[in-house]
């Protein structure tokens, strides 16, 4: 599953510092990050199966990144693609606060997700499974945040390690190598530290690293 690490207004020279991995089935077709021909202001990868994206920016400084909420028992068939949430925000002109208000109503249409989004002035998050599954959104204060496939800053091993390593990597900027190194870390967490999210123990192990290697699935 995915990992998004964000330092928001936590560095004197870089208002937004991002390190992110996308994990997906290798058979799912996708295009690498590029400027979209049908939305020239938008830079993102593209899911060629459903048409949306998982993370992107615009020329005006808008940003959005999405992770799925891992709970196999609560997956519903025939729901809209969550990738549209990212593409729609980036293609529009909503403020962060306006988007959070809209998601409070629209969020339940989708399977569980977390959406980080910024209009360039503020950073917010909508967590569809927060508040007992009712969903909740909020504006985030300046700081360092980590998001995987549960709520923001849930202390899964790769979330805790990634957040700590991002804080150290900020000191090395503009050298990007520490950011790349933390995203390439494929060491699994010890069994006693693993969460229990409804998948088998072997899968919990494989999914516990920042960089995932599994049969037919992994960090792309």
């Amino acid at each position: 599953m995915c990992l998004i690490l964000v330092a928001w207004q936590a560095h004197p020279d870089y208002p937004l510092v991002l390190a992110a991995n996308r994990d997906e089935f290798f058979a799912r077709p996708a295009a690498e990050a590029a400027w979209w021909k049908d939305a020239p202001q938008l830079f993102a990868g593209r899911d060629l199966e459903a048409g949306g994206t998982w993370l992107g920016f615009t020329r005006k400084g808008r940003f959005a990144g999405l992770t799925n909420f891992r709970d196999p028992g609560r997956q519903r068939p025939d729901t809209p693609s969550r990738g549209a949430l990212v593409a729609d925000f980036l293609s529009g002109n909503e403020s962060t606060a306006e988007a959070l208000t809209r998601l409070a109503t629209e969020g339940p249409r989708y399977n569980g997700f977390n959406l980080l989004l910024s209009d360039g002035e503020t950073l917010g998050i909508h967590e569809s499974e927060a508040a007992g599954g009712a969903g909740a959104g909020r504006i985030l204060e300046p700081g360092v945040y980590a998001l995987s496939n549960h709520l923001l800053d849930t202390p899964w091993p790769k979330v805790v390690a990634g957040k700590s390593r991002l804080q150290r990597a900020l000191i090395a900027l503009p050298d990007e190598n520490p950011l790349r190194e933390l995203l390439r870390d494929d060491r699994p967490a010890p069994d006693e530290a693993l969460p229990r999210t409804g998948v088998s123990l072997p899968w919990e192990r494989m999914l516990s690293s920042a960089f995932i290697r599994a049969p037919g699935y992994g960090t792309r």
Side-chain angles (χ1 to χ4, degrees), residues 147-159:
L147 178 65
S148 186
N149 299 97
H150 204 268
L151 304 180
L152 186 69
D153 286 338
T154 295
W156 288 1
K158 67 177 170 184
V159 169

Side-chain angles (χ1 to χ4, degrees), residues 32-44 57-60:
E32 65 183 25
W35 296 106
W36 288 16
K37 292 182 179 180
D38 55 340
Q41 80 283 4
L42 197 166
F43 184 85
F57 298 86
T58 73
R59 297 181 190 275
K60 293 184 178 181

Side-chain angles (χ1 to χ4, degrees), residues 9-176:
Q9 297 181 348
H11 190 283
D13 299 321
Y14 303 100
L16 174 66
V17 179
L18 174 78
N21 276 345
R22 181 204 180 204
D23 309 316
E24 183 56 270
F25 289 100
F26 299 141
R28 184 161 185 150
E32 65 183 25
W35 296 106
W36 288 16
K37 292 182 179 180
D38 55 340
Q41 80 283 4
L42 197 166
F43 184 85
R46 196 159 200 171
D47 173 19
L48 298 180
E49 184 172 298
T53 187
W54 51 94
L55 185 147
F57 298 86
T58 73
R59 297 181 190 275
K60 293 184 178 181
R62 296 172 71 82
F63 157 72
L66 177 131
T67 68
N68 297 340
F69 188 95
R70 192 196 310 164
D71 186 349
R74 298 179 66 176
Q75 292 297 299
R76 295 170 291 157
D78 303 322
T79 56
S81 170
R82 289 164 285 196
L85 294 166
V86 176
D88 288 350
F89 175 76
L90 293 176
S91 299
N93 295 303
E94 287 178 309
S95 69
T96 305
E98 288 170 339
L100 293 176
T101 298
R102 173 177 55 82
L103 289 166
T105 300
E106 293 187 6
R109 297 175 53 218
Y110 299 84
N111 280 320
F113 69 92
N114 305 298
L115 181 62
L116 282 163
L117 66 173
S118 173
D119 56 13
E121 300 296 329
T122 59
L123 177 71
I125 186 167
H126 179 85
E127 300 163 304
S128 74
E129 300 304 304
R138 65 190 190 277
I139 299 294
L140 298 174
E141 297 295 324
V144 175
Y145 300 95
L147 178 65
S148 186
N149 299 97
H150 204 268
L151 304 180
L152 186 69
D153 286 338
T154 295
W156 288 1
K158 67 177 170 184
V159 169
V160 174
K163 187 174 180 179
S164 176
R165 292 181 69 175
L166 174 58
Q167 289 172 321
R168 296 197 300 271
L170 292 177
I171 301 171
L173 289 174
D175 180 2
E176 298 175 0

